[in-house]
Amino acid sequence: AVVSTQSTGAISEKEEAINRVGPKDVSLAGRELFKVINKTYTNLEWRGNVIQGLDGDFFVHPPYKSNDVKGNTEDAVARIKKVVDKFHQDFVKKHGAGDS
């Protein structure tokens, strides 16, 4: 079967949009954290409900706290943990502690 390049482009655009927004079952905090990490670490995607650095440096599992950051590269994990901690401080100021 021949797939037109137009529909292939639409599929990849949709995948990219999902990667930016996140899966439906991800909390607001998870989606917002993805955006924050993505500002400094552009090589990022969703794997189910896990935020993942594409080179396997780190993974952030729900509920997306610094204890939930795992990975293969200590430096990257330490950096992302700092980003996550700062994010949650700011998130609680902005939204309250309810949805984090």
Side-chain angles (χ1 to χ4, degrees), residues 77-98:
V77 170
R79 259 194 329 270
I80 297 302
K81 281 184 175 192
K82 286 180 186 170
V83 171
V84 171
D85 282 338
K86 169 105 175 67
F87 165 78
H88 280 289
Q89 290 169 1
D90 296 345
F91 188 85
V92 168
K93 284 179 196 164
K94 201 195 286 186
H95 299 280

Side-chain angles (χ1 to χ4, degrees), residues 15-62:
E15 286 173 356
E16 284 178 25
I18 289 169
N19 266 339
R20 284 192 301 274
V21 174
K24 291 183 187 112
D25 60 344
V26 171
S27 67
L28 175 62
R31 292 192 302 268
E32 293 297 315
L33 177 61
F34 182 93
K35 291 180 199 168
V36 169
I37 295 173
N38 201 220
K39 287 177 186 171
T40 55
Y41 194 96
T42 54
N43 220 3
L44 195 63
E45 72 176 2
W46 287 102
R47 282 272 177 217
N49 61 0
V50 176
I51 300 170
Q52 174 182 323
L54 288 182
D55 47 16
D57 281 355
F58 67 88
F59 309 89
V60 188
H61 295 267

